[in-house]
Amino acid sequence: MKNKVLYMLILFGVISFSANACAVDSLSYQYKTLKKESKARITADKDTIISTIGLTYPVFKNSVWNEQVKQLILNSETEKSNYTTYDEYLNAFINASVEANAEEEEYPRSWSQDIIVRVEPQFAGTQTLSLSLFSDSYTGGAHPNSTLIYVNYDVFSRKIIKLSDLINPVMMARLTYMASTIFRKQEGLSPTQSLENYFFENQKFTLNTNFLITKKGLLFYYNSYEIRSYAEGPMELLVPYTAISSLLKINPYIPKNLK
């Protein structure tokens, strides 16, 4: 009986190790870059107008993860696209620039867009894969626009990890309060000072859902125009694990050594 129990424990250990080893192997990747550009157009002033778009993204050994990356790139949080391939996506941008310049024949502009998807640092003992998507584009106007989006995935289920997976629901208000305290200190504001210079609804601080699981804490990222003007730029807000340790659920996503 003892031998049978020992055998089962060893077998379970081997299976667990194999599963984790396969998961790690499936996360192996290398980066790939695609580029497209329009045909050169020479203006009456002899200026050369060329629109360009570039895409850099990780290619995983596991094709399932490659599909996750594709969905992240092709579909925004608010609008689903009809594109099925990267070529379609890149060509659509170039075609749009050509059409726009045909309408503005006297004042054509070189459009540009760079999209970079990166694999963020992973931490031993967790089952988290975090990706960042940075997009910088210019399609006319006073200045280019850029956005940065973080997405954290469960390595095994591939579901997107939400804030509610990390924080006890009854503690969400407490998390917001503590983040607000950190925000005010970071911005040099007193505890009671008005937030009228920010774009928070009803001048009330709120956390967004754009966050990265880091080694030291939850890093919230506010893009330009989200809570302040373009000139003031985007904002990072790090909420350390040490400040919210009592709010955290027991979960496999956050590094165990909370420092």
Side-chain angles (χ1 to χ4, degrees):
M1 182 66 178
K2 289 183 179 180
N3 289 337
K4 184 177 180 180
V5 172
L6 180 60
Y7 171 77
M8 292 301 292
L9 289 173
I10 293 174
L11 179 61
F12 177 76
V14 170
I15 292 174
S16 297
F17 175 79
S18 298
N20 286 321
C22 290
V24 171
D25 183 62
S26 70
L27 295 181
S28 299
Y29 63 91
Q30 58 183 5
Y31 287 105
K32 182 176 182 179
T33 298
L34 303 175
K35 292 185 177 181
K36 298 275 186 179
E37 65 177 36
S38 67
K39 291 182 180 179
R41 178 173 180 171
I42 309 301
T43 69
D45 295 328
K46 305 302 181 182
D47 293 326
T48 301
I49 303 298
I50 299 177
S51 294
T52 61
I53 182 170
L55 169 62
T56 299
Y57 61 99
V59 178
F60 291 88
K61 285 187 177 181
N62 188 331
S63 60
V64 175
W65 279 109
N66 293 330
E67 186 61 28
Q68 294 286 109
V69 173
K70 181 187 291 187
Q71 293 305 313
L72 175 63
I73 295 171
L74 300 186
N75 297 311
S76 70
E77 292 184 347
T78 57
E79 183 178 355
K80 301 296 182 182
S81 73
N82 294 320
Y83 308 122
T84 58
T85 68
Y86 292 136
D87 273 346
E88 289 179 2
Y89 183 84
L90 300 181
N91 287 333
F93 180 84
I94 296 300
N95 292 338
S97 73
V98 172
E99 291 176 7
N101 283 330
E103 294 177 0
E104 297 289 338
E105 189 171 356
E106 292 186 18
Y107 304 102
R109 296 174 182 268
S110 294
W111 285 21
S112 65
Q113 185 172 25
D114 285 301
I115 304 166
I116 302 174
V117 177
R118 296 199 180 280
V119 178
E120 295 296 324
Q122 301 172 60
F123 308 106
T126 69
Q127 59 186 64
T128 306
L129 172 67
S130 297
L131 301 178
S132 62
L133 186 152
F134 175 76
S135 176
D136 184 74
S137 64
Y138 178 76
T139 57
H143 53 72
N145 290 296
S146 63
T147 58
L148 177 62
I149 297 171
Y150 290 117
V151 184
N152 308 280
Y153 296 95
D154 182 299
V155 167
F156 297 105
S157 69
R158 294 182 299 280
K159 74 169 186 175
I160 294 177
I161 301 169
K162 299 178 181 179
L163 202 55
S164 57
D165 295 318
L166 308 176
I167 306 293
N168 284 309
V170 295
M171 295 296 184
M172 284 297 190
R174 181 64 179 171
L175 171 67
T176 301
Y177 170 77
M178 300 186 78
S180 174
T181 301
I182 295 170
F183 169 82
R184 285 179 173 278
K185 182 177 181 180
Q186 181 173 300
E187 292 294 288
L189 303 173
S190 72
T192 58
Q193 194 167 342
S194 169
L195 298 180
E196 62 182 350
N197 293 326
Y198 299 86
F199 302 158
F200 293 116
E201 187 174 356
N202 298 322
Q203 299 184 27
K204 184 177 180 181
F205 174 85
T206 54
L207 282 171
N208 63 14
T209 57
N210 187 17
F211 69 93
L212 174 66
I213 298 173
T214 75
K215 187 175 183 179
K216 294 185 177 181
L218 301 180
L219 179 66
F220 292 87
Y221 192 90
Y222 296 89
N223 283 290
S224 296
Y225 293 122
E226 191 171 351
I227 60 171
R228 58 186 186 182
S229 69
Y230 177 86
E232 293 170 295
M235 177 187 294
E236 291 185 342
L237 182 67
L238 178 67
V239 180
Y241 296 130
T242 51
I244 59 172
S245 58
S246 62
L247 314 184
L248 295 172
K249 287 182 177 180
I250 297 175
N251 66 77
Y253 307 126
I254 291 176
K256 298 299 183 288
N257 190 15
L258 305 182
K259 291 185 178 181

